[in-house]
Amino acid sequence: MKIHSLVGRTLLSKFANGVSRRCKNRNFTSEIVGFRNVLRFASMIACLYVASAVGLCQEAATLSGMVKDPVGLVVPNAVVTLINQKTSGVLTSVTDSTGAYSFRQLPAGDYRIQTSAPGFATLEKPIALTSGQTAKIDLLLGLAANEQSISVSGETDPYSVVPETPTDSVFGLSQKISEIPRSVTETDSALLDLYQARTVNDLVTVVPGSFTGAYFGISGSVFLRGDIADNYFRGFRRVENRGNYQTPLSAADHIEVIAGPPSPIYGPGRMGGLMNFYPKTVRSEGAKWLEAGRGSIVARYGQYEDKAGSAEYGLPFKIASHRSGVYAFFEDKDSHSFYKGVFDRYKIGQIAFDTELSPKLRLAYGFQGFHDQGIQALGWNRVSQDLVDHQTYLAGTPAINLSSNHVNIGPSDMQAGELNTFAFQQDMGAVFPYYGNSSLYALDPATIHTVTLPLNRIMVDTGGDFLSATTYTGYFDVAYEIKPGVTFKNQSFYDRLDSQKFSSYGFGANYKPWTVENKSTLSFSWNPSRIVSMNAFAGYDYTRVQTTAGEERDDYQVVDRRDLSVGVTANDRLQGPWTSTPAIPFQYLNIGTYNDNGLFWLSDVAFWNRLVFTTGARFDRYSPDFWGRDSGNGALTHETAKNNGGLFTGSVSYRTPFHVTPYVTAATSRFLDLGQGNEIDASEIPGGTYIQPSTLYEGGVKTELDQKFFASLGFYRQKRSAWDSQTLSLDYFKNKGVELQARAFLLKRLTLTGAFTWQQPEQLNAPFLLAISPTLLGLTPQQGYGGKFEGVASIFGHKGAFPVAGQPHWVASPFATVNITRNVGVLLGTTWVASVKAGYVSSVILPSYALWRGSAFYRRKNYEFNVGVNNMFDAKYFQSQYLFEDSLVKPGELRNVGGTVKYSF
């Protein structure tokens, strides 16, 4: 074992040295080379242990078998737990697609075996094993008395806060979260409902590292570790959703939030992380086990006319003699907002089927349609510290009226870009007054004064602003067991978005992407000895994406011209592509397709069911074909290319006998740099910068105690780069942080959750600023608020990296739920956010705040009632507006109260 220790120390030293190096003196090539060295060391360790396994076998017992339903069909993904009666040691196995489980290298003795699966009653029985025995025991599960009811009897975890259901979203391997060597959070719909988590911004209550600031009022993608996360649907990457529509969390059965890159099986993706959305209709798998149809109806009403209603229903049926299940869900939402003039209306429908054509062949197929109508909400302009601290707003209207039609400002009133000035130096006060267009920027001195601005009055034009988005999503899975331990799966996926939006400060967009993906996977298991076991996946997938992405964003755009105390006027409402004749063209426009042919491999090798090595690799061949431009209205440029990308990941974890699992992970990725419409910028294609590298190093420890307590502590460091289509150059980012997650179900009535984050996200180069306050450029507000200044932050003489604007270093979310009686309970918790600089160069500080949430619920027979309060104590708080961090902040919503009624049948 000395050789093992020596190599292990070498690997840990290699990893520690990599973590401690300073980021700014290294490039991404050296990161990737270092990571490949880590993989080589991991492979050496695996080889050494395999070589030694033969000589270290001991006489021990083996237990295996099948988990089956009442009619004898196998049950995949069942959790089989083996408890040593003498030592209280706990081992867990998850059944594979054939329903098989196994335990190896077991000491002789008395055990208790527990088996559970969704839709079935938990089975528990004692067993005794002798030295060297090879025992085969099949476990027969009975149907649960009421699959959809939530138990609050005190005997079980009522909100599934302690994660015990295995997931295959991280690596593709069906593992419990406590065994996965990465930061991952699973949240059940019952917990989302309890915490009144309506949008991805609310995930900060349960997910560490997920602080999501203002994104124009449209909560599409969660931010993870300071970066926009990818959106997945049942393990498939969807088209981009950066503020294109609100992600409807209420339509999810559960979600998984994974920090870091996706598994090689699930394709390439961002290093920051992903949110995997499981629709309500994944319950079709459980519906086929029901004796009769079951469903529920939910009605919600809250302040500001927050109205929503939903219905869901599951039903078993047969195709010929083949058992099947169907599940359907529909929701209609029509809600206004705390902010005057802001609303969101959507409809969503889901349906899914699950069919067993034979014990070895299974089909799963479904569809989701979604339509959203809303309005973007930018927040406050003319930002100052006095505005944030005291709501003191500098009012004043432009001195020169530019609108000739008394409705808006367009090409007939001004030249393109006339209200935009590039700041090439910090002291623009010395030169700008001599510009020919400077008079257009001036405010009328007679109108300048200060007012107290209400928190609910933000930059919204109810007569011109709009957002409309429609999505269609479908899937078809075929799984076939070739032989025990070997399964072939083919999965097809389709996702389409049609999105248009406009805000009269001067931004309009039209996105029409669709993606088709087909993936074939062969999975197999190998158990060469009682000591060594391996699970592996290999396969090929093909993805094709087509998109049209247009943005009107430069020629007619200004953010400070509008006096929010007055509201929208013709002299500050800018025309856009949908409000001008002839239509203002999209200055940024990219139209085209790209293909991705991918090969992947993933395996984990376990020794003594304790020491686990997980390695994966992916090779992608990209072939983009785009026509595009980044500015103006000239002809589109045609660009094509063929380039390679890929993903490498390696992890080592050790399951100690003390319910503690330490782990280390390293990963590197080369993935597409995509825009808001899922497009590749044609200007990136010739130089190959449309593929960007990123790296991750992570280490941590996890623990789980008897399905009553779970905790995870992780440390990470990551780097990435991204293309800036404004400057046509690369931006570089790094982040390091610590994340703590704890969940517990104690004393039969008390549920606790905690999500805690410390992070330090930074941009290594000077960012391009879309809007700069004139006061930072040596101008008075009277001289500059009628137009917009933009430029690179380097003119301000800042040295070193720039902290990412609006992303706080510290966030903490502790919550507690008490079931006072079998039918009555209360929730109380808070999310505390540290103070943070609003922008990159602005001196404005957004103060720290604590948002308290509380609710009370009552259940009786088939009815459930819940009344909740968000921001209980009317805390005043602000968040930076993404992309306009130095010029816009969004005030937070004050106290609001709402309630839901649910009837199950």
Side-chain angles (χ1 to χ4, degrees):
M1 295 300 291
K2 291 183 178 179
I3 293 179
H4 300 164
S5 300
L6 174 61
V7 176
R9 288 196 300 270
T10 305
L11 174 58
L12 291 176
S13 174
K14 182 78 176 178
F15 180 80
N17 290 338
V19 172
S20 65
R21 293 191 186 102
R22 300 186 64 183
C23 292
K24 67 179 181 179
N25 294 324
R26 301 183 60 198
N27 57 37
F28 279 85
T29 301
S30 63
E31 290 280 2
I32 295 172
V33 171
F35 172 70
R36 288 173 178 169
N37 290 335
V38 172
L39 287 182
R40 291 192 183 101
F41 276 94
S43 300
M44 290 171 59
I45 290 180
C47 291
L48 286 170
Y49 272 101
V50 170
S52 63
V54 176
L56 292 175
C57 294
Q58 300 175 5
E59 282 297 313
T62 298
L63 173 63
S64 62
M66 309 283 287
V67 177
K68 300 180 179 180
D69 67 12
V71 297
L73 294 179
V74 299
V75 180
N77 294 322
V79 180
V80 183
T81 304
L82 191 66
I83 304 170
N84 189 308
Q85 300 279 49
K86 181 178 180 180
T87 66
S88 296
V90 178
L91 297 174
T92 301
S93 176
V94 180
T95 59
D96 59 19
S97 59
T98 69
Y101 74 93
S102 66
F103 297 96
R104 298 180 178 277
Q105 205 63 23
L106 299 173
D110 295 326
Y111 292 84
R112 188 170 77 256
I113 189 168
Q114 296 176 340
T115 310
S116 61
F120 297 94
T122 299
L123 174 69
E124 183 171 340
K125 62 189 300 183
I127 62 170
L129 298 175
T130 59
S131 179
Q133 180 183 3
T134 299
K136 293 198 68 174
I137 300 178
D138 289 341
L139 304 169
L140 183 64
L141 296 181
L143 292 177
N146 185 356
E147 180 196 0
Q148 291 187 334
S149 66
I150 297 177
S151 169
V152 291
S153 64
E155 301 302 325
T156 59
D157 176 6
Y159 309 108
S160 302
V161 295
V162 179
E164 61 175 282
T165 302
T167 175
D168 58 5
S169 295
V170 181
F171 288 123
L173 307 162
S174 190
Q175 297 172 308
K176 298 179 67 174
I177 290 178
S178 59
E179 300 173 346
I180 297 174
R182 281 269 292 282
S183 177
V184 55
T185 302
E186 183 180 58
T187 304
D188 188 83
S189 60
L191 191 64
L192 293 173
D193 292 342
L194 181 67
Y195 285 20
Q196 298 190 58
R198 311 294 188 210
T199 72
V200 295
N201 297 62
D202 297 322
L203 294 181
V204 70
T205 57
V206 290
V207 181
S210 66
F211 179 83
T212 303
Y215 200 105
F216 305 96
I218 308 299
S219 305
S221 297
V222 66
F223 275 61
L224 293 177
R225 297 177 173 176
D227 186 22
I228 300 174
D230 289 323
N231 284 293
Y232 276 63
F233 186 93
R234 293 181 69 254
F236 282 85
R237 190 179 190 278
R238 304 193 68 182
V239 298
E240 292 288 318
N241 182 18
R242 305 184 209 171
N244 294 328
Y245 58 89
Q246 178 175 301
T247 298
L249 289 188
S250 55
D253 174 77
H254 65 282
I255 61 168
E256 294 167 343
V257 179
I258 302 162
S263 165
I265 294 178
Y266 296 128
R270 289 191 182 91
M271 189 60 69
L274 61 95
M275 184 186 78
N276 196 13
F277 178 98
Y278 285 87
K280 292 279 191 182
T281 48
V282 297
R283 299 174 184 176
S284 62
E285 181 178 358
K288 67 189 176 190
W289 306 101
L290 299 175
E291 295 181 356
R294 292 178 184 168
S296 64
I297 299 173
V298 178
R300 185 180 89 214
Y301 186 82
Q303 278 184 278
Y304 317 114
E305 296 184 66
D306 175 29
K307 296 170 290 185
S310 66
E312 58 189 276
Y313 189 72
L315 182 72
F317 69 99
K318 289 186 177 181
I319 299 178
S321 60
H322 307 299
R323 182 170 52 198
S324 302
V326 59
Y327 207 92
F329 172 83
F330 177 80
E331 182 181 24
D332 189 347
K333 175 188 172 185
D334 183 357
S335 296
H336 289 265
S337 169
F338 165 79
Y339 307 106
K340 290 182 180 293
V342 176
F343 66 90
D344 185 59
R345 302 184 183 102
Y346 69 68
K347 292 180 174 65
I348 184 171
Q350 302 170 349
I351 190 167
F353 301 85
D354 194 290
T355 300
E356 291 184 351
L357 296 180
S358 74
K360 293 186 176 184
L361 181 61
R362 178 190 165 204
L363 306 180
Y365 42 104
F367 173 81
Q368 174 179 286
F370 174 76
H371 179 68
D372 188 18
Q373 286 185 307
I375 194 167
Q376 296 190 99
L378 275 71
W380 284 352
N381 60 3
R382 304 183 182 183
V383 177
S384 67
Q385 193 65 55
D386 202 22
L387 176 64
V388 170
D389 293 341
H390 307 106
Q391 298 173 232
T392 303
Y393 182 76
L394 183 65
T397 56
I400 297 177
N401 178 40
L402 295 176
S403 176
S404 59
N405 62 7
H406 308 293
V407 176
N408 49 33
I409 301 172
S412 62
D413 302 310
M414 55 175 279
Q415 296 180 9
E418 198 168 7
L419 290 180
N420 283 270
T421 295
F422 181 79
F424 62 90
Q425 64 182 32
Q426 183 174 358
D427 185 14
M428 292 297 293
V431 295
F432 180 69
Y434 303 100
Y435 282 29
N437 62 338
S438 62
S439 60
L440 303 180
Y441 286 55
L443 301 182
D444 182 355
T447 64
I448 297 177
H449 62 289
T450 59
V451 298
T452 299
L453 197 62
L455 294 171
N456 64 349
R457 183 177 296 175
I458 61 176
M459 188 182 293
V460 171
D461 179 2
T462 56
D465 295 358
F466 73 89
L467 177 145
S468 177
T470 302
T471 69
Y472 300 104
T473 307
Y475 64 92
F476 191 93
D477 296 353
V478 180
Y480 178 70
E481 180 198 355
I482 299 173
K483 64 178 183 178
V486 181
T487 300
F488 174 79
K489 180 183 290 187
N490 191 84
Q491 298 171 282
S492 299
F493 176 75
Y494 173 80
D495 192 35
R496 183 186 187 95
L497 167 67
D498 187 349
S499 172
Q500 294 82 40
K501 54 187 173 182
F502 176 71
S503 292
S504 64
Y505 77 92
F507 179 82
N510 180 38
Y511 305 127
K512 293 187 176 182
W514 59 260
T515 180
V516 173
E517 182 176 354
N518 190 81
K519 176 169 55 184
S520 299
T521 307
L522 183 69
S523 61
F524 56 93
S525 301
W526 183 50
N527 301 292
S529 74
R530 298 174 182 175
I531 292 179
V532 182
S533 63
M534 183 183 78
N535 295 297
F537 297 79
Y540 164 79
D541 65 23
Y542 171 77
T543 303
R544 180 174 177 83
V545 175
Q546 179 173 305
T547 183
T548 296
E551 296 176 359
E552 187 272 311
R553 61 187 188 183
D554 298 319
D555 290 351
Y556 301 92
Q557 185 180 100
V558 60
V559 295
D560 285 327
R561 188 175 181 86
R562 183 172 301 167
D563 182 347
L564 297 185
S565 68
V566 174
V568 183
T569 69
N571 199 24
D572 54 52
R573 174 187 282 154
L574 281 295
Q575 290 184 7
W578 291 279
T579 58
S580 57
T581 305
I584 296 174
F586 294 112
Q587 296 93 48
Y588 174 89
L589 180 61
N590 281 277
I591 303 171
T593 64
Y594 63 86
N595 299 323
D596 175 17
N597 287 275
L599 296 172
F600 54 85
W601 165 270
L602 180 72
S603 65
D604 75 340
V605 181
F607 299 90
W608 302 282
N609 201 32
R610 293 195 182 278
L611 181 64
V612 182
F613 296 87
T614 303
T615 57
R618 181 180 176 87
F619 172 81
D620 292 281
R621 181 67 169 174
Y622 298 113
S623 53
D625 186 336
F626 272 83
W627 294 79
R629 64 169 178 252
D630 289 313
S631 61
N633 58 1
L636 303 181
T637 301
H638 184 216
E639 303 289 355
T640 64
K642 291 184 178 181
N643 296 98
N644 299 332
L647 170 67
F648 302 91
T649 181
S651 302
V652 182
S653 60
Y654 185 75
R655 303 165 185 163
T656 71
F658 315 107
H659 305 284
V660 175
T661 303
Y663 70 91
V664 293
T665 292
T668 184
S669 172
R670 284 174 48 81
F671 178 57
L672 299 176
D673 189 59
L674 299 173
Q676 294 189 58
N678 218 67
E679 80 281 3
I680 294 174
D681 190 334
S683 64
E684 294 185 80
I685 293 176
T689 53
Y690 70 95
I691 301 177
Q692 289 299 320
S694 54
T695 57
L696 167 71
Y697 294 95
E698 182 178 327
V701 63
K702 296 186 176 184
T703 183
E704 181 185 355
L705 298 176
D706 197 26
Q707 301 179 0
K708 298 296 184 182
F709 175 78
F710 167 80
S712 173
L713 175 65
F715 308 81
Y716 69 89
R717 179 172 68 89
Q718 62 187 36
K719 294 180 69 175
R720 65 180 179 90
S721 59
W723 180 256
D724 188 334
S725 61
Q726 298 282 345
T727 62
L728 302 183
S729 61
L730 290 173
D731 290 331
Y732 297 91
F733 302 87
K734 70 174 182 180
N735 192 4
K736 60 182 179 181
V738 181
E739 296 167 348
L740 172 63
Q741 179 183 184
R743 297 185 175 193
F745 177 61
L746 306 172
L747 305 176
K748 299 183 179 181
R749 298 288 182 183
L750 177 63
T751 301
L752 303 174
T753 67
F756 308 91
T757 304
W758 176 84
Q759 62 174 355
Q760 189 175 326
E762 295 177 319
Q763 183 166 341
L764 303 183
N765 63 301
F768 183 81
L769 308 176
L770 289 176
I772 307 173
S773 172
T775 59
L776 297 175
L777 297 170
L779 297 164
T780 66
Q782 179 181 337
Q783 290 176 296
Y785 273 165
K788 181 166 77 77
F789 298 89
E790 57 187 29
V792 182
S794 57
I795 64 174
F796 294 94
H798 179 87
K799 302 297 183 181
F802 289 77
V804 173
Q807 279 288 324
H809 288 310
W810 294 93
V811 180
S813 295
F815 279 78
T817 304
V818 179
N819 290 305
I820 300 173
T821 69
R822 181 182 180 87
N823 300 317
V824 179
V826 294
L827 161 77
L828 183 64
T830 185
T831 295
W832 179 84
V833 179
S835 61
V836 64
K837 281 190 64 178
Y840 288 95
V841 296
S842 169
S843 61
V844 174
I845 301 295
L846 305 181
S848 62
Y849 60 89
L851 296 182
W852 286 85
R853 295 175 181 237
S855 67
F857 51 88
Y858 171 73
R859 298 184 178 92
R860 182 174 178 82
K861 295 183 178 180
N862 295 341
Y863 290 91
E864 300 177 22
F865 304 88
N866 189 311
V867 177
V869 184
N870 289 336
N871 197 359
M872 295 177 65
F873 303 111
D874 260 349
K876 185 174 74 172
Y877 67 100
F878 299 87
Q879 295 177 337
S880 295
Q881 182 58 260
Y882 184 73
L883 296 179
F884 290 93
E885 295 92 347
D886 284 276
S887 54
L888 296 171
V889 299
K890 186 179 179 183
E893 298 184 24
L894 295 181
R895 182 191 303 117
N896 63 82
V897 181
T900 61
V901 179
K902 179 179 181 180
Y903 173 71
S904 299
F905 56 91

